[in-house]
Amino acid sequence: MKIAAVSEDGITISQHFGRAPFYIVVTVENKTIVAKEKRDKMGHAHFAGEPHAEGEDPRGHGFDPAAQSRHARMAAAIADCQVLLARGMGAGAYESMRQAGIRPVVTDIANIDEAVQAYLAGTLVDHTEKLH
């Protein structure tokens, strides 16, 4: 199993999915972390010149077609992962990850290893109320 976490420092989970510069991908076997790798992640800086939706969708941020395209490009780097950990993200990005077959989890646990262990133990809470 592979679990991705958005990060800015390689240790903690970023509070904002779109702004995080990379993913830490954790490989788990028999409920034990056996490998970690850093993967580049597309984000706000990469998409600065692209159009953004003017109006807000009632479902939340990031449901317009351009945003959905950006999210698909962000998901491509972790297409082999089953789970994505973030401490905050837009509702559109959350749904895009689900559509890509990746289970997004918005956690309040900052440390990547601790969040992975909580996920494996079945105790990690998905704080969807933090979606924007």
Side-chain angles (χ1 to χ4, degrees):
M1 164 182 258
K2 291 189 179 185
I3 299 173
V6 291
S7 187
E8 296 170 34
D9 62 8
I11 298 167
T12 58
I13 300 169
S14 178
Q15 291 185 325
H16 194 287
F17 170 73
R19 292 189 184 121
F22 55 86
Y23 298 105
I24 297 298
V25 175
V26 178
T27 302
V28 176
E29 294 177 4
N30 299 318
K31 297 196 174 191
T32 302
I33 296 171
V34 296
K36 286 185 189 177
E37 69 177 289
K38 180 179 170 183
R39 295 185 189 173
D40 289 334
K41 180 191 149 296
M42 297 187 87
H44 286 282
H46 296 96
F47 306 124
E50 295 184 14
H52 283 70
E54 294 297 321
E56 190 63 36
D57 189 292
R59 296 172 290 178
H61 174 71
F63 282 96
D64 62 280
Q68 292 293 297
S69 173
R70 290 190 294 273
H71 299 151
R73 287 181 275 165
M74 288 183 200
I78 56 168
D80 60 333
C81 296
Q82 291 74 44
V83 179
L84 169 66
L85 304 176
R87 288 196 294 149
M89 65 193 314
Y94 187 93
E95 186 57 32
S96 291
M97 294 303 126
R98 286 175 25 99
Q99 290 177 9
I102 301 167
R103 179 180 176 206
V105 179
V106 180
T107 180
D108 58 359
I109 299 174
N111 181 275
I112 293 170
D113 290 352
E114 289 176 23
V116 167
Q117 291 302 329
Y119 179 81
L120 296 172
T123 60
L124 191 65
V125 176
D126 189 7
H127 289 281
T128 55
E129 74 277 5
K130 292 185 177 187
L131 296 175
H132 59 273

